[in-house]
Amino acid sequence: MQKRKLTAGLLCGALVAGMLAGCGSKDESNNGNAAATDGNKQVTIKFHAFGSEAQQNWSKVISAFETKYPNIKVDLINLSEKGDTQEYAKKLDLAAASNEAMDVIMFSEAGMYAQRVALGMVAPLDDFINKEGYKVPEEYKVDTMLNGKYYALPGKFNPWYVLLNKTHLDEAGLKVPTDWTWDDFRDYAKKLTKGEGATKRYGTYFHGPQGGGWLEFTRLAMANQATGGDYLKEDGTSNLDNPNFRKSIELRYNMEKVDKSSTPYTDMISQKLNYRPQFFNQAASMIVIGSWMNSEIGGTEQFPLNFNVAVAPFPKNNAGDKDTYSMVTTDFYAMSNNSKNKDAAYQFIRFATTEGVIAQEKYVPSWSKIKDDQLSSIIDTILAGTKNPEKVDKESLKRVLLSAKSTSLVPPASYNADVYKVINEEYEKLILDKQNIDQMIKNSQERTQKLIDANKK
């Protein structure tokens, strides 16, 4: 599963989220009382989604829901059978502009979600949540709050982690980490690096930033905090004076330039390297990546597995840090603001993000109430779809997925892509020895502040 990136096109409306959030609340007062979910009256809801049956197992989710709620039928409107979320977004916006009937809408990432909230496409869920009597941060591992309200509940839970070549660890006499820091990670990378020249094996490979994307790799020490994990703060001000931004840059720089334990940036660019072949071809012993890789770590047709694999948690900054936070990708299940079946729509959203993810047998849920044995069963099912599941240390994977927590969601600004471009350019000048770290930090701060000032109303 590929990670979806934030783009300027997806984010264009997010800046005005504060002004337009009220658009989503015009129908709050009746909470969709037109939807008869009680008694025998039949209700049909429209569920706009993406992804083929093979990718998503929608029939299993819908069948399980309709069995539990026989008076609600779900009409699946699949806007991209191949799972192309950009195609989905375009078709969804066209459908909304045409006033097509919608009840439940699925978004693939935070930018897509934030923009549609800003444009008033989705309705708040707060009254439904309060009536049911739970708190989202306790019920789910991903907090989807925007502008003080909940407009969606999270589906799958894909925290970032570290994939390890366990065969290489065994050779080096290293244990699979269960609680470690970036300093430990750096030490492991040095010990795992082997050889010289074209056949050199690196301790790790960082996929980016190159080509203006994957900027997660210049904020690794920011992303393991409960809050403040992105380049901009929630109020839209710069977060580049955060000492963890410098720590992130120093980590990358020192591992490549001083330790020589990470794949050189110049090789990434000139050879157009990618993290999958680097890891599966054993050119790098560790990769920091998202757990969308769960369905691939046992090996695939394209990338066979010829070694043992284990999983370690996202490293902490300090050994005393209590929780293991990381970047997380999820799906956002939202309710159309124009839905005439809001009660039924909420029932499906709640089911799809709890029991429905289990019935789907494809992903680990964001739902916190999942039991250990259920998680084991889900992991078994996911790994069974790979070529060599027996080579995966299942217990290490389960341990990481149970302990991981999501850093708080920062509503993307409309100019996020421009901020990413600035940091990418300044990092590239640093790693190509055209400036030092102090200059890189200073230039990034100044250029980002100019963007912020230029976008102020």
Side-chain angles (χ1 to χ4, degrees):
M1 180 174 181
Q2 295 289 340
K3 185 176 189 307
R4 285 87 176 192
K5 309 310 294 176
L6 301 181
T7 66
L10 287 177
L11 301 176
C12 63
L15 181 64
V16 293
M19 294 185 293
L20 295 182
C23 297
S25 58
K26 60 187 179 185
D27 198 24
E28 265 182 285
S29 57
N30 65 13
N31 280 335
N33 288 330
T37 58
D38 298 320
N40 297 316
K41 184 176 178 181
Q42 198 72 38
V43 174
T44 299
I45 60 172
K46 305 283 187 181
F47 172 38
H48 286 69
F50 53 84
S52 67
E53 177 64 20
Q55 291 171 333
Q56 301 282 10
N57 277 350
W58 289 130
S59 62
K60 290 188 176 183
V61 179
I62 292 170
S63 175
F65 174 76
E66 290 179 346
T67 298
K68 185 170 183 177
Y69 299 97
N71 61 315
I72 306 174
K73 296 297 178 186
V74 179
D75 183 8
L76 174 65
I77 313 296
N78 197 330
L79 298 183
S80 178
E81 280 284 344
K82 59 186 177 182
D84 183 332
T85 55
Q86 291 191 348
E87 176 189 30
Y88 169 77
K90 289 177 183 176
K91 289 183 176 179
L92 182 70
D93 291 343
L94 283 173
S98 303
N99 291 318
E100 185 177 311
M102 296 181 182
D103 294 295
V104 177
I105 308 169
M106 184 179 171
F107 301 121
S108 64
E109 44 83 22
M112 188 188 292
Y113 166 51
Q115 184 193 13
R116 274 67 185 187
V117 168
L119 298 176
M121 187 184 288
V122 299
L125 303 177
D126 299 74
D127 285 353
F128 294 97
I129 292 167
N130 293 337
K131 184 177 180 181
E132 196 176 340
Y134 65 90
K135 295 181 179 178
V136 172
E138 295 175 0
E139 189 77 2
Y140 296 92
K141 292 184 177 182
V142 180
D143 191 343
T144 53
M145 179 178 282
L146 282 177
N147 311 308
K149 293 185 178 181
Y150 288 103
Y151 294 89
L153 295 178
K156 63 174 176 275
F157 181 65
N158 281 344
W160 280 50
Y161 52 28
V162 181
L163 281 186
L164 306 162
N165 184 317
K166 191 173 184 298
T167 302
H168 290 175
L169 258 65
D170 291 343
E171 288 173 0
L174 298 170
K175 294 181 179 179
V176 175
T178 57
D179 187 352
W180 62 340
T181 65
W182 285 117
D183 289 339
D184 297 327
F185 178 87
R186 183 179 172 185
D187 185 55
Y188 265 56
K190 283 190 280 189
K191 291 175 179 175
L192 290 166
T193 299
K194 190 176 180 180
E196 290 296 337
T199 59
K200 181 175 180 178
R201 185 186 83 195
Y202 290 92
T204 194
Y205 169 84
F206 293 112
H207 189 58
Q210 56 251 28
W214 290 77
L215 267 291
E216 289 89 348
F217 291 95
T218 53
R219 60 182 180 93
L220 293 172
M222 301 169 73
N224 59 13
Q225 305 296 296
T227 59
D230 216 326
Y231 303 112
L232 299 179
K233 298 177 184 176
E234 283 196 43
D235 61 4
T237 58
S238 173
N239 195 27
L240 298 186
D241 59 352
N242 187 325
N244 288 328
F245 176 56
R246 173 179 284 273
K247 182 181 177 73
S248 302
I249 300 301
E250 288 176 341
L251 176 75
R252 288 290 312 276
Y253 184 87
N254 288 331
M255 290 185 71
E256 177 174 337
K257 298 292 189 178
V258 180
D259 303 342
K260 302 189 185 305
S261 63
S262 68
T263 309
Y265 186 88
T266 51
D267 288 0
M268 296 181 201
I269 299 295
S270 63
Q271 299 174 36
K272 297 182 179 178
L273 300 179
N274 188 276
Y275 62 90
R276 284 182 176 87
Q278 288 303 107
F279 183 69
F280 286 106
N281 294 338
Q282 304 193 68
S285 300
M286 304 187 296
I287 56 169
V288 183
I289 203 68
S291 56
W292 58 83
M293 289 296 293
N294 288 347
S295 61
E296 300 178 42
I297 58 177
T300 61
E301 200 73 52
Q302 186 178 8
F303 296 109
L305 182 62
N306 300 310
F307 54 93
N308 294 323
V309 171
V311 180
F314 200 75
K316 300 174 179 178
N317 290 343
N318 306 294
D321 292 348
K322 184 179 177 183
D323 292 309
T324 304
Y325 289 96
S326 75
M327 297 162 284
V328 167
T329 59
T330 188
D331 290 318
F332 299 83
Y333 286 79
M335 180 193 297
S336 169
N337 194 43
N338 295 325
S339 171
K340 293 180 170 57
N341 305 298
K342 286 191 169 66
D343 287 330
Y346 174 75
Q347 290 280 18
F348 181 70
I349 289 170
R350 186 76 166 112
F351 181 88
T353 58
T354 53
E355 300 165 60
V357 189
I358 298 171
Q360 196 172 15
E361 296 183 335
K362 283 286 183 182
Y363 307 111
V364 173
S366 293
W367 189 33
S368 298
K369 307 302 182 189
I370 187 170
K371 297 180 176 64
D372 284 12
D373 60 333
Q374 290 175 309
L375 181 60
S376 289
S377 175
I378 291 168
I379 291 172
D380 281 341
T381 302
I382 293 171
L383 292 180
T386 66
K387 295 293 184 181
N388 294 101
E390 75 282 354
K391 291 182 178 292
V392 179
D393 182 345
K394 178 187 158 186
E395 289 308 309
S396 69
L397 175 60
K398 177 181 170 183
R399 185 168 55 241
V400 168
L401 295 175
L402 277 173
S403 64
K405 294 186 177 182
S406 171
T407 189
S408 65
L409 177 66
V410 178
S414 59
Y415 49 93
N416 256 39
D418 296 324
V419 174
Y420 284 10
K421 184 172 183 286
V422 162
I423 294 168
N424 184 73
E425 289 172 353
E426 296 301 330
Y427 177 81
E428 187 165 276
K429 284 188 280 187
L430 165 69
I431 210 67
L432 296 180
D433 299 316
K434 295 179 180 178
Q435 65 180 354
N436 62 33
I437 291 178
D438 287 340
Q439 290 170 320
M440 187 260 167
I441 300 292
K442 181 174 181 288
N443 291 341
S444 297
Q445 290 173 337
E446 290 178 352
R447 292 180 64 190
T448 296
Q449 190 57 51
K450 285 182 181 178
L451 286 171
I452 294 169
D453 293 340
N455 283 277
K456 284 181 179 175
K457 294 291 182 181

